[in-house]
Amino acid sequence: MSKHARSSGLPVDGAERATADGWSFPARDPATGERLWDVPDAGVTDAHAAAEAAWRARHATTWSTDTALRVDAVTELREALAARADDLALLLAAETGVPVALREAHVDAPIAAMGHEVVPDPEQDAGVTLVLTPATSPLAVAIEEVGRVLLAGGTVVLKPAPEAASAALELGRIALDIVPRGVLNVLTTRDVDVAIALTRDRRVDEVSFTGSAVVGERVGATAGGAGKRVRLDVGGARTVRVADDDDLDAVVRAAAVELVANAGQGCRLPASVVVPTHRYTDALRAALGAMEEVAVGDPTDPATRCGPLRSPVARDRVLRYVALARSEGADVALGGHVLDRDGGWWVAPTVIGGVEPGSRLVREEVLGPVLMVVPDSSARA
């Protein structure tokens, strides 16, 4: 995987550039905790340079008016990404713990769809767009939004979550030989002030954010207050309700399989299963059976569906929710603990029963391999 660290530069204004202050931060393997490589840690000066490059490409070149140029560029970029799909899947596994078994959703399908579902509209003014992507599905979101903006005649400053920075950098590096100078710029940073500076930058027309509802609210307020167009795609807790005539075992098992993929790190996953009280015991039994069968292991192993959490912060977040469940008197029937592995940030597949319907465990996103079984006394027997 060291080939992904062959350069420490930011893809900005058509070339790989060192950060103005020379800062970097380590990318770590979530399966072992070991340092993989260094990632450029951009500052506000770098943010201004990226915004200026995107503004110039949007306003001082024919990019925004030449539809054929844009279609050809996005098509070539899609083909180049497809040729590198194997490397990109391994890169995601190494830096974020996304199992290669899930590459269809995280790599292949987003690449294949790039540009296909967007019809260039000469009347649409995409402008300079700041794209903020999450750590839970970093490459898929970046590819979708970059494709959308570029085909619409806009230019991009892509700012990924720091835990998933390398995939965005690789996307930017691949694009250097394909799109015109300044059309796609990538900034990786741990400094929230950089994101704020970009959100308020006078050269940015639109802010696209994908991630948690809490952060999305802050981004929306900041960008809206600065007069930007705002596109928010925020996650949220998803609940599956089981009726009396449903196949209980099938519904619970399907929820468990979907939830546990990528260790529960995704938007709108079925983290809670609400069942009539008289079916609760059977539902808990089904959940235990499904979660005990989960293949947990090395993200690069094709048999693995549940890998590590992406960071110690993500792991500790999950453990806090487990502690909350215990404090509320819920039954941690399976898991709920750190797996004994050689380093890394692992949490065992977990089943929590007896959760109250109004609990934060049901209302909020846990973002971990935790399935809640909720008995509902209001359901008809």
Side-chain angles (χ1 to χ4, degrees):
M1 296 304 300
S2 61
K3 63 183 177 181
H4 293 293
R6 64 184 182 275
S7 170
S8 60
L10 294 167
V12 170
D13 201 16
E16 289 190 64
R17 302 172 183 274
T19 62
D21 298 307
W23 295 340
S24 64
F25 61 92
R28 296 193 179 276
D29 184 343
T32 65
E34 296 176 348
R35 178 184 170 280
L36 293 168
W37 47 71
D38 287 334
V39 175
D41 196 1
V44 173
T45 299
D46 303 301
H48 289 315
E52 177 64 23
W55 188 91
R56 189 169 53 248
R58 170 70 179 81
H59 294 280
T61 75
T62 61
W63 175 258
S64 65
T65 58
D66 192 336
T67 301
L69 170 64
R70 300 197 304 272
V71 171
D72 287 347
V74 172
T75 299
E76 186 177 351
L77 180 56
R78 180 175 65 241
E79 292 172 351
L81 291 170
R84 292 285 308 281
D86 290 346
D87 290 340
L88 291 170
L90 288 173
L91 176 56
L92 282 178
E95 187 178 45
T96 67
V98 176
V100 294
L102 305 178
R103 61 173 287 173
E104 173 64 22
H106 287 267
V107 179
D108 298 328
I111 291 174
M114 187 180 196
H116 284 312
E117 298 179 1
V118 180
V119 178
D121 181 357
E123 301 301 319
Q124 182 179 2
D125 181 10
V128 176
T129 301
L130 169 62
V131 176
L132 304 170
T133 56
T136 51
S137 186
L139 191 58
V141 172
I143 289 172
E144 178 181 357
E145 282 299 276
V146 166
R148 175 188 69 83
V149 175
L150 298 194
L151 276 180
T155 57
V156 172
V157 178
L158 172 59
K159 208 294 287 183
E163 305 98 321
S166 297
L169 286 171
E170 203 66 14
L171 169 60
R173 289 165 181 161
I174 292 170
L176 286 176
D177 296 327
I178 298 171
V179 302
R181 175 179 176 179
V183 166
L184 175 58
N185 311 273
V186 181
L187 281 183
T188 54
T189 183
R190 294 176 297 180
D191 190 348
V192 68
D193 287 342
V194 173
I196 293 172
L198 284 168
T199 301
R200 294 173 173 168
D201 194 289
R202 60 177 176 76
R203 291 159 291 199
V204 171
D205 302 300
E206 179 176 288
V207 177
S208 169
F209 171 84
T210 303
S212 74
V214 173
V215 179
E217 183 178 357
R218 296 172 184 166
V219 170
T222 302
K228 315 299 185 185
R229 296 191 303 271
V230 182
R231 292 172 62 97
L232 298 179
D233 184 1
V234 297
R238 177 180 156 204
T239 298
V240 175
R241 295 187 175 274
V242 180
D244 265 346
D245 56 353
D246 286 339
D247 184 334
L248 179 69
D249 190 73
V251 172
V252 173
R253 285 182 172 272
V257 169
E258 183 179 352
L259 167 74
V260 84
N262 192 27
Q265 300 173 106
C267 294
R268 305 178 183 92
L269 295 177
S272 299
V273 179
V274 178
V275 301
T277 300
H278 69 281
R279 305 194 77 183
Y280 168 71
T281 300
D282 291 337
L284 186 62
R285 184 182 303 114
L288 290 171
M291 294 293 269
E292 285 171 344
E293 294 173 3
V294 171
V296 181
D298 181 355
T300 63
D301 184 341
T304 296
R305 284 195 62 82
C306 180
L309 277 297
R310 64 184 179 273
S311 70
V313 172
R315 176 203 59 198
D316 292 347
R317 171 191 170 92
V318 174
L319 295 177
R320 282 196 295 271
Y321 276 106
V322 174
L324 172 64
R326 291 193 171 103
S327 73
E328 292 182 347
D331 174 23
V332 182
L334 178 72
H337 59 268
V338 174
L339 286 175
D340 184 15
R341 299 273 172 149
D342 185 19
W345 307 299
W346 301 83
V347 174
T350 300
V351 175
I352 301 177
V355 180
E356 292 293 329
S359 170
R360 286 175 51 204
L361 293 158
V362 177
R363 292 183 286 108
E364 300 176 6
E365 283 188 307
V366 176
L367 296 177
V370 182
L371 182 64
M372 270 75 69
V373 182
V374 184
D376 183 9
S377 60
S378 67
R380 294 176 58 186

